[in-house]
C-alpha cells in the first residue's frame, strides 16, 4: 500500500515539474524570442519602394512602357496616400542613414527620369494636390537647349531652368543628376554613362567626371542646389563606375533593377537603389499589389 502511494506521488510531482518547465520556457520565449525577432527586422532594414516614371501624356497612342497618362499618375498618388504611404526624397534618406532624422512609417519614392516638360504640366500639380514629394532627374543638355529656345511643349520638350527653379522652391520637387549629356544610346558608341569598348580607364574616368561635374555646376549655378544622387541612364553601369561616382561626392545612386530596397543606418545602403518601372495599362491597385506595395 505504501509503495503504491509513493509511485503515485512521484508521478504527481513529475507532472508538476513538466508543467512548470513549460511555463518557464513560455516566459523565456516571450521575453527573449520576440525581441530577437524585432531586432532581426530592424537589422534587415526599412522597406523603401522606389517607383520609376518617365513621360506623362494624354495621347493614348503614345502611352506604353515609358509613358503613362495623367489619370494613371493621379490614381497612383491617390492609392499611395490612401494606403498610408508618405513620399520621401533623397535628402530624407541621407538624413536617416546619418542618424539626423527618421523616416515615416511607410516611405515611398516617386522618381521621374529625363526631365520632360510634361512632368511640370501633370506631375507637379498632382504632387501639390496629394502632398506627394517627387524626384526629377533631368538631362542637363536638353534643359539648356529648351531654356535657350523657351519652347514648352508637353509632347517633346524638356524642363527649362525657370521651371526647375519654380518646382524646387515649392519644397515638393527634388532634382538629381542624370548626366549632362551622356544619355545617348548610340550603335557602336557609348550607351549612357557606360565605358566604351577600347576606352581606357583613365580616359573613361575623365569623360565621366567632366560630364557629371558639368551637370553639378549647372544645377548649382541655376538653382543654388547641388544634387546628392546620380541616376544611371538606362540603368547601365560599368565595373569601375560606382567607385568613380562615390569619389565625385554622390551619396546615393539609382539603378533600373526592379527590387525592393531595405534601408538601415548604413550609408552604403543608399547606393544602387532598385526601382520599379511604372508602365501604362494597369490599374494602380494591380500594379502596386504586384510589387508588394499594399
Amino acid at each position: 500500500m505504501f509503495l503504491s502511494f509513493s509511485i503515485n506521488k512521484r508521478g504527481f510531482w513529475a507532472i508538476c515539474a513538466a508543467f512548470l518547465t513549460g511555463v518557464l520556457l513560455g516566459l523565456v520565449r516571450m521575453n527573449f524570442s520576440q525581441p530577437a525577432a524585432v531586432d532581426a527586422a530592424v537589422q534587415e532594414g526599412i522597406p523603401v519602394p522606389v517607383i520609376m516614371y518617365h513621360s506623362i501624356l494624354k495621347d493614348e497612342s503614345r502611352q506604353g512602357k515609358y509613358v503613362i497618362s495623367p489619370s494613371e499618375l493621379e490614381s497612383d498618388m491617390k492609392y499611395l496616400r490612401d494606403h498610408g504611404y508618405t513620399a520621401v526624397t533623397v535628402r530624407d534618406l541621407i538624413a536617416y542613414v546619418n542618424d539626423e532624422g527618421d523616416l515615416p512609417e511607410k516611405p515611398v519614392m516617386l522618381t521621374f527620369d529625363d526631365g520632360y516638360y510634361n512632368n511640370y504640366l501633370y506631375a507637379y500639380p498632382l504632387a501639390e494636390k496629394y502632398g506627394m514629394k517627387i524626384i526629377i532627374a533631368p538631362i542637363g543638355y536638353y534643359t539648356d537647349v529648351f531654356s535657350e529656345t523657351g519652347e514648352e511643349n508637353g509632347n517633346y520638350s524638356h524642363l527649362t531652368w525657370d521651371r526647375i527653379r519654380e518646382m524646387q522652391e515649392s519644397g515638393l520637387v527634388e532634382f538629381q543628376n542624370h548626366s549632362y549629356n551622356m544619355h545617348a544610346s548610340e550603335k557602336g558608341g557609348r550607351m549612357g554613362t557606360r565605358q566604351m569598348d577600347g576606352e581606357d580607364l583613365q580616359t573613361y574616368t575623365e569623360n565621366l567626371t567632366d560630364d557629371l561635374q558639368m551637370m553639378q555646376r549647372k544645377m548649382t549655378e541655376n538653382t543654388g542646389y547641388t544634387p546628392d544622387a546620380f541616376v544611371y541612364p538606362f540603368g547601365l553601369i560599368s565595373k569601375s563606375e560606382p567607385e568613380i561616382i562615390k569619389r565625385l561626392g554622390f551619396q546615393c545612386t539609382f539603378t533600373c533593377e526592379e527590387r525592393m530596397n531595405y534601408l538601415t543606418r548604413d550609408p552604403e545602403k543608399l547606393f544602387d537603389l532598385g526601382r520599379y518601372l511604372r508602365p501604362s495599362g494597369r490599374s494602380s491597385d494591380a500594379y502596386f499589389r504586384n510589387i508588394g506595395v499594399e
Side-chain angles (χ1 to χ4, degrees):
M1 186 71 179
F2 176 78
L3 178 61
S4 175
F5 174 76
S6 298
I7 293 172
N8 291 337
K9 189 174 181 179
R10 289 193 189 98
F12 171 76
W13 286 114
I15 292 171
C16 289
F19 174 77
L20 289 172
T21 299
V23 171
L24 289 171
L25 286 173
L27 290 172
V28 168
R29 292 191 184 99
M30 289 176 63
N31 291 329
F32 296 102
S33 297
Q34 288 182 3
V38 171
D39 289 343
V42 170
Q43 290 175 5
E44 182 183 20
I46 297 173
V48 182
V50 183
I51 314 303
M52 176 171 54
Y53 300 94
H54 291 79
S55 190
I56 309 155
L57 294 172
K58 290 183 177 180
D59 185 351
E60 293 183 4
S61 67
R62 301 186 62 179
Q63 294 165 14
K65 188 174 182 179
Y66 298 105
V67 181
I68 67 169
S69 69
S71 61
E72 286 174 321
L73 179 59
E74 178 164 16
S75 177
D76 285 359
M77 288 190 178
K78 184 177 186 302
Y79 174 96
L80 292 169
R81 185 196 64 184
D82 292 349
H83 285 76
Y85 283 89
T86 302
V88 296
T89 63
V90 170
R91 292 211 161 173
D92 291 329
L93 300 191
I94 292 173
Y96 175 75
V97 300
N98 289 331
D99 205 13
E100 297 173 351
D102 293 317
L103 289 176
E105 183 178 355
K106 297 173 73 174
V108 66
M109 301 188 86
L110 306 179
T111 67
F112 294 77
D113 283 13
D114 306 335
Y116 295 106
Y117 175 65
N118 55 49
N119 291 179
Y120 174 81
L121 286 179
Y122 303 117
Y124 179 42
L126 290 173
E128 290 181 311
K129 179 177 180 179
Y130 290 94
M132 288 278 176
K133 295 177 182 178
I134 63 176
I135 301 163
I136 299 178
I139 304 166
Y141 171 77
Y142 293 112
T143 291
D144 272 351
V145 167
F146 287 97
S147 292
E148 290 176 7
T149 65
E151 189 173 10
E152 294 184 326
N153 186 302
N155 290 319
Y156 59 82
S157 65
H158 288 244
L159 292 167
T160 64
W161 289 116
D162 285 342
R163 296 304 186 191
I164 287 176
R165 279 191 294 272
E166 178 186 344
M167 287 190 284
Q168 181 183 293
E169 289 169 3
S170 73
L172 288 171
V173 188
E174 181 183 75
F175 290 89
Q176 299 298 344
N177 193 318
H178 199 38
S179 84
Y180 179 74
N181 194 21
M182 293 182 78
H183 196 276
S185 176
E186 302 173 359
K187 186 175 181 180
R190 191 182 305 282
M191 294 286 289
T193 55
R194 193 165 63 179
Q195 186 174 1
M196 293 189 297
D197 292 339
E199 185 179 28
D200 64 79
L201 181 57
Q202 181 177 344
T203 302
Y204 170 64
T205 300
E206 291 173 355
N207 289 334
L208 179 63
T209 298
D210 288 347
D211 182 273
L212 269 54
Q213 286 185 335
M214 170 70 84
M215 185 57 178
Q216 294 293 82
R217 286 195 300 273
K218 289 283 186 176
M219 282 294 301
T220 304
E221 291 168 1
N222 285 281
T223 70
Y225 167 85
T226 304
D228 302 293
F230 178 62
V231 182
Y232 289 103
F234 311 111
L236 300 174
I237 308 172
S238 290
K239 182 179 179 181
S240 58
E241 193 167 359
E243 194 56 40
I244 299 171
I245 298 297
K246 288 182 180 180
R247 288 203 301 268
L248 290 174
F250 291 99
Q251 300 180 63
C252 175
T253 57
F254 291 91
T255 72
C256 294
E257 183 180 347
E258 295 195 312
R259 57 177 172 77
M260 183 65 73
N261 307 289
Y262 294 93
L263 207 65
T264 68
R265 299 288 186 181
D266 179 5
E268 287 298 313
K269 293 290 185 179
L270 291 178
F271 291 95
D272 299 331
L273 294 176
R275 296 187 293 167
Y276 295 102
L277 175 64
R278 178 34 161 138
S280 181
R282 300 190 68 182
S283 70
S284 297
D285 185 80
Y287 169 75
F288 284 117
R289 289 184 184 280
N290 183 61
I291 62 176
V293 177
E294 301 180 86

